[in-house]
Amino acid sequence: QAQLVESGGGLVQAGNSLRLSCAAASGRTFRTYTMGWFRQAPGEERGFVAVFTSSVGHPRYADSVQGRFTISRDNAKNTIYLQMNSLKPEDTAIYYCAASNNGWRHVNFWGQGTQVTVSS
């Protein structure tokens, strides 16, 4: 059973926006974990997109999405979000939610992924 469940992916035209959500599975809490988003495009390795650096720390973004994507969280709902604006075809990938309790040295939990496809 997935511990993290993503939603919100889809097909959009370049320049448009999408918002991804990642919720903890029922009965699960990630209060002591730091959360983030990663993505994997076809033929490429999975890489980070946006992560919180600690449970109360500021977010960190990949250079390729800085200024266009925003990560946020709602602790009451055990949910994090990724607002993606000004989408580009190169943003096409499977987006994964992740949780780490060791400063991102490794990921403790992955979501199942949600597909984002940006057409030109």
Side-chain angles (χ1 to χ4, degrees):
Q1 182 181 1
Q3 303 294 310
L4 297 167
V5 181
E6 301 100 333
S7 60
L11 171 64
V12 295
Q13 288 190 324
N16 285 348
S17 300
L18 276 177
R19 189 177 81 154
L20 306 182
S21 300
C22 171
S26 177
R28 192 72 170 85
T29 179
F30 287 91
R31 195 171 295 117
T32 59
Y33 289 77
T34 50
M35 308 292 291
W37 292 95
F38 292 70
R39 69 185 181 187
Q40 186 168 19
E44 297 184 9
E45 292 189 354
R46 193 174 301 186
F48 103 96
V49 176
V51 299
F52 288 107
T53 55
S54 70
S55 60
V56 294
H58 293 294
R60 183 163 64 96
Y61 297 93
D63 290 344
S64 59
V65 306
Q66 181 75 47
R68 299 187 298 121
F69 290 13
T70 303
I71 187 173
S72 61
R73 58 190 164 201
D74 185 333
N75 291 330
K77 294 183 178 180
N78 251 349
T79 301
I80 65 168
Y81 305 94
L82 185 67
Q83 178 66 43
M84 305 185 293
N85 297 331
S86 302
L87 282 161
K88 304 175 181 180
E90 51 263 44
D91 294 319
T92 295
I94 300 175
Y95 284 70
Y96 296 90
C97 179
S100 170
N101 65 358
N102 50 74
W104 295 109
R105 287 188 294 277
H106 71 267
V107 173
N108 298 91
F109 296 98
W110 290 103
Q112 82 286 358
T114 185
Q115 177 72 48
V116 171
T117 303
V118 184
S119 64
S120 56

